[in-house]
Amino acid sequence: MRLILHIGKAKTGTTSLQSFLYSNRSHLEAQGFRLLDSAGSPNNVGLAVVFSTAGPSAASYWHRERGIRSEAEKRKFLQETRFMEEIIREIRASPAHCHTLILTSEQLWERLRGEEIEQFAQWCRINFTECQVVLYLRDQVELATSRWSMQVKAGNHLSLRRSVSKLLSISPSADSDRLKQWSQFFGKIPSVNIYRGSGAWDVRSHFAEKFMPKVEGLAFPPTSDNRSYGKVSIHIVRLVNALFLAWTWKAEGKQPYIKARARLRSRLLAFLRPVIELDKSRLRLSRKRASMVREHFREANSEMSRIYLNGDHLTAPPEPRNLEQR
């Protein structure tokens, strides 16, 4: 069986793509494309957890749902539930007409490094005849605001200025270096694609046309999965986050008042959700800050463009912008 392995990155429409695949599951399977339940659905995060040696902060919602707080508890859980054996059993139970398995989780890109990628690649070679690794990258200027929105959704109340500063502290060659590891251990350069976060471009259509070109009749329902906050709503949520702590590991057991405050935060955000969803404005960086981001990643982006993108440019040209969210 052939494998299409979608590894991310985060904030490139991964949630939308995963929901699309699983909502079309029966239709895809009828035409030879298999999806799994045992690795998690619609995000197959379980595979990232198995091959990652990071602690429970990695893919934390997976650990939290199972009450896992340490690497030792994770290993015990995987052994007792025969987690990997169940994944392999489900793969081998695929209908005879299924020729391709699709695995998808941005956590594979976010969490696996070096030897972890190598071990995962060995597992893929054992269980599949061919593997196509698929990665979507995003213009870092667009990523900066989307990343800030994600941080605020997670419970932070940091400003855009601080969020961008953290982005600029990342090595500009981090993505390029990791791509080299995936290429090395899988013995093949991944299919690297540019995510276009605006306009009529749709990651679901792009994925279907490029990697499942013969599949017909797929449904593309309107989606707002994991949509970024707007200019007003993000400050509403930041204020709520500043007043009420989000869920943390400390919320369990020792400090019950933190857990109570986290519940209050969730209820308040649920009450404000209709107001938040009305805000359709787009977050944008100022020209100055956008230029800083472009310059930081310029050389690394040129290298990735040459090696992985056939000369296509990851970073969009500057746009005239006057306002910046603080």
Side-chain angles (χ1 to χ4, degrees), residues 282-298:
R282 288 188 62 199
L283 297 171
R284 295 180 182 274
L285 294 183
S286 67
R287 287 177 60 87
K288 178 181 178 181
R289 205 161 294 278
S291 296
M292 291 171 59
V293 173
R294 287 193 182 92
E295 182 59 28
H296 181 72
F297 291 100
R298 181 175 57 81

Side-chain angles (χ1 to χ4, degrees), residues 65-112:
E65 288 174 351
R66 293 159 180 80
I68 297 172
R69 296 169 177 252
S70 67
E71 181 66 14
E73 289 182 1
K74 185 191 84 172
R75 290 196 298 269
K76 181 180 178 182
F77 172 85
L78 295 176
Q79 183 177 8
E80 290 178 348
T81 59
R82 301 178 65 85
F83 192 79
M84 284 304 293
E85 289 88 341
E86 180 60 24
I87 291 175
I88 294 172
R89 185 204 63 77
E90 190 177 5
I91 293 171
R92 292 177 178 172
S94 300
H97 70 276
C98 286
H99 50 74
T100 302
L101 179 74
I102 301 175
L103 292 175
T104 169
S105 180
E106 66 277 14
Q107 295 298 329
L108 291 166
W109 174 266
E110 299 296 329
R111 305 302 176 186
L112 301 192

